[in-house]
Amino acid sequence: MEKEYYEMIKEILESEEFQKRKTYKHHGSITVYDHSLKVSQVAYKISKRFKRMDSKSIAVGGLLHDFYDKPWQEKKEKTTFLKKHGFVHAHQALVNAEHYFPEYMNEKTRNIIERHMFPLNKIPPKYKEAWLITFVDKWVSLEVLFHPTFFLRLFGIRGGKS
């Protein structure tokens, strides 16, 4: 991990609250912790290649974009379609980020976290940094979803064995 990047996010990464995400499944076998770290790292590396991008907001926003309360797979209560995880978790992540890491929040970071699920949340990102996280989040998620083992798991086959 690049030293400059790590210095920006180490307090968040090492916090007890963020560490809990190591137990939250994201898609398939990846955890929310690993997914968020990958989104943050990839977007940060891309941002460093372009001038006039706020790399720190990207690193922090990418890390906290899925900072929701509990694993969505554990929610048993019935909800309407528009209140399902994909539509509401970005706002939950923002509320949590502001509560646990207020010193890292700025207008761009808030926009990154709350708008990363566009078009599900209907309101597009305002900043290029938020657009970058939106695209990288989808790209990283699709890598997992289109991995051959994902399709095996869909049919109840674990690790390529039946």
Side-chain angles (χ1 to χ4, degrees):
M1 194 178 316
E2 187 178 316
K3 184 178 176 161
E4 177 185 324
Y5 169 78
Y6 181 72
E7 287 300 316
M8 287 180 193
I9 53 97
K10 74 176 182 179
E11 233 178 83
I12 297 170
L13 200 61
E14 295 172 356
S15 74
E16 183 179 333
E17 192 60 36
F18 194 79
Q19 290 286 316
K20 289 178 186 176
R21 276 63 187 175
K22 285 182 175 180
T23 65
Y24 296 13
K25 293 289 182 202
H26 190 261
H27 295 292
S29 60
I30 193 168
T31 65
V32 170
Y33 177 96
D34 292 330
H35 166 78
S36 298
L37 184 57
K38 185 165 186 181
V39 168
S40 176
Q41 288 174 325
V42 169
Y44 175 80
K45 286 178 185 175
I46 292 169
S47 77
K48 294 303 280 183
R49 294 183 181 208
F50 296 97
K51 302 222 183 274
R52 299 186 201 149
M53 286 197 96
D54 182 349
S55 296
K56 183 173 183 179
S57 290
I58 287 169
V60 171
L63 202 57
L64 296 174
H65 78 279
D66 280 346
F67 194 55
Y68 44 83
D69 293 327
K70 59 183 177 180
W72 61 270
Q73 299 91 336
E74 293 178 6
K75 293 185 179 180
K76 303 293 184 211
E77 64 272 1
K78 299 261 184 201
T79 60
T80 63
F81 182 72
L82 294 176
K83 294 202 180 205
K84 296 226 180 264
H85 176 77
F87 295 94
V88 300
H89 81 271
H91 182 71
Q92 292 171 346
L94 178 59
V95 169
N96 286 342
E98 287 180 328
H99 175 76
Y100 288 100
F101 306 107
E103 67 277 17
Y104 288 90
M105 296 295 104
N106 61 43
E107 192 174 338
K108 285 182 182 176
T109 306
R110 286 182 188 93
N111 193 257
I112 287 168
I113 296 167
E114 190 154 47
R115 306 278 176 87
H116 81 274
M117 286 304 292
F118 181 77
L120 292 184
N121 59 8
K122 298 181 186 175
I123 304 169
K126 181 177 180 181
Y127 301 101
K128 60 188 169 216
E129 292 85 354
W131 278 107
L132 179 58
I133 293 295
T134 298
F135 290 124
V136 171
D137 179 43
K138 305 253 181 310
W139 175 33
V140 169
S141 293
L142 286 174
E143 277 184 335
V144 173
L145 291 175
F146 287 115
H147 191 276
T149 60
F150 174 78
F151 293 104
L152 293 172
R153 285 192 307 272
L154 276 177
F155 297 104
I157 303 167
R158 302 264 178 221
K161 299 175 185 172
S162 50

